[in-house]
Amino acid sequence: PRVMLTIWGSDLFWFQQFPRHKRKLKETLNLVDDLALECNRDVVIARDLGYKGRVIPPFPITGGYDVEVLSEIASLVPPSKRKVILVKGHTRFVGRAQLALKALEDVQDLLDGYEIIVYSADPKARRVARKLSTQYSLDISLHRRGSLAHDRVINLFSEARIYLGISLSDGLPNSLQEAMVLGAFPIQTNTSCADEWIVDGKSGFIVDPYNTALIVSALRKALENDALVDAASKINLATAQQRLSTSAVSESIRGFYIV
């Protein structure tokens, strides 16, 4: 039988840097006939690790979205009129929500009237957020990992001006996709494949997770520039219609399972 391997965000990008894991990756890829990935970045890494099999052209492994329906929800309130900032609340493994929260502390002078929502918040993220809320009287809501139904997550993105995703490693984050479909201005780290989907400074910001000053600068611009966030939502929606709709994703992989 043919062997197919589906690669997630950190499988290659993060673990290739550790010699023991790199050996395991090479051994595994040697057993694989078909490789499904989300990023051109990971195609290059797989080939560098010796993979010689078939590669499906990168596509969103989540399967896409009903972009037309979701864009109607997103159009109810333009991003410039929204008063919510969404923060992905992972601090374990490669997640660095604490850096996102630190950046929000540094722009707290601009946050009057805003609600900060930390979703998928693990214990450390909740501790940091509570301290920040108490110290600066910020309106912060916390949702533990797995506590929100997906419909509720979709609604949150349709209410958000900014989505902030900070991590040391990622692929094509679901949250980035949801931000693009639903009009939230994305600020995503360069350890993901964000550069294959958004244009830095135009349809989002791509930041270095080790450079807090850059994250702060990106936040300030996204909070102060209404024209930027509204224009970005239109660009990202057009990209989503072309590349993230269920029909587009289905078409891109139609022939892959026919061997």
Side-chain angles (χ1 to χ4, degrees):
R2 296 181 67 86
V3 176
M4 178 178 176
L5 176 63
T6 300
I7 295 294
W8 297 98
S10 297
D11 296 346
L12 299 181
F13 179 76
W14 180 256
F15 287 103
Q16 66 168 330
Q17 65 184 308
F18 307 108
R20 183 170 65 91
H21 284 290
K22 189 172 183 178
R23 287 194 300 272
K24 289 184 176 182
L25 289 171
K26 289 181 175 181
E27 292 168 1
T28 302
L29 290 170
N30 192 46
L31 303 172
V32 173
D33 301 295
D34 302 298
L35 197 57
L37 316 100
E38 294 189 300
C39 307
N40 287 303
R41 173 200 73 184
D42 290 348
V43 176
V44 174
I45 296 173
R47 294 302 189 194
D48 287 344
L49 291 171
Y51 178 68
K52 303 196 184 318
R54 187 171 66 149
V55 174
I56 185 173
F59 71 100
I61 290 173
T62 49
Y65 299 83
D66 190 337
V67 175
E68 295 307 317
V69 170
L70 296 180
S71 64
E72 290 182 10
I73 299 172
S75 67
L76 296 176
V77 182
S80 61
K81 302 300 182 185
R82 301 177 187 179
K83 289 290 189 176
V84 170
I85 299 171
L86 284 181
V87 179
K88 186 187 292 185
H90 298 175
T91 65
R92 296 168 176 168
F93 184 36
V94 292
R96 290 297 180 270
Q98 66 270 36
L99 300 181
L101 292 167
K102 170 60 179 171
L104 285 165
E105 176 184 345
D106 291 345
V107 299
Q108 48 92 18
D109 57 299
L110 299 176
L111 298 180
D112 185 40
Y114 276 90
E115 180 184 10
I116 299 165
I117 299 178
V118 185
Y119 66 99
S120 291
D122 59 31
K124 182 175 181 178
R126 296 198 297 273
R127 288 195 303 272
V128 173
R130 288 189 187 109
K131 181 178 179 181
L132 186 65
S133 176
T134 300
Q135 187 171 357
Y136 295 103
S137 299
L138 296 177
D139 183 4
I140 301 180
S141 300
L142 301 171
H143 299 279
R144 296 170 186 247
R145 190 169 188 171
S147 66
L148 295 175
H150 190 248
D151 286 349
R152 177 59 179 141
V153 174
I154 290 297
N155 287 334
L156 289 178
F157 273 93
S158 73
E159 298 165 0
R161 180 183 179 112
I162 298 168
Y163 147 70
L164 191 54
I166 307 298
S167 65
L168 302 183
S169 177
D170 218 324
L172 174 59
N174 291 350
S175 296
L176 174 61
Q177 298 174 55
E178 289 156 352
M180 293 178 66
V181 172
L182 291 153
F185 186 85
I187 299 176
Q188 184 72 52
T189 39
N190 60 7
T191 50
S192 69
C193 298
D195 63 334
E196 298 179 26
W197 289 84
I198 61 175
V199 178
D200 184 31
K202 187 174 181 181
S203 53
F205 285 122
I206 301 173
V207 296
D208 185 336
Y210 299 100
N211 188 339
T212 303
L214 185 60
I215 301 171
V216 171
S217 175
L219 267 171
R220 284 196 173 276
K221 291 174 184 175
L223 285 164
E224 294 178 326
N225 193 331
D226 290 345
L228 173 66
V229 297
D230 283 342
S233 71
K234 294 181 175 64
I235 296 169
N236 289 333
L237 177 58
T239 301
Q241 289 169 331
Q242 294 171 1
R243 300 174 64 189
L244 284 176
S245 69
T246 51
S247 59
V249 174
S250 175
E251 183 63 30
S252 70
I253 65 172
R254 189 175 300 278
F256 186 67
Y257 290 97
I258 302 172
V259 180

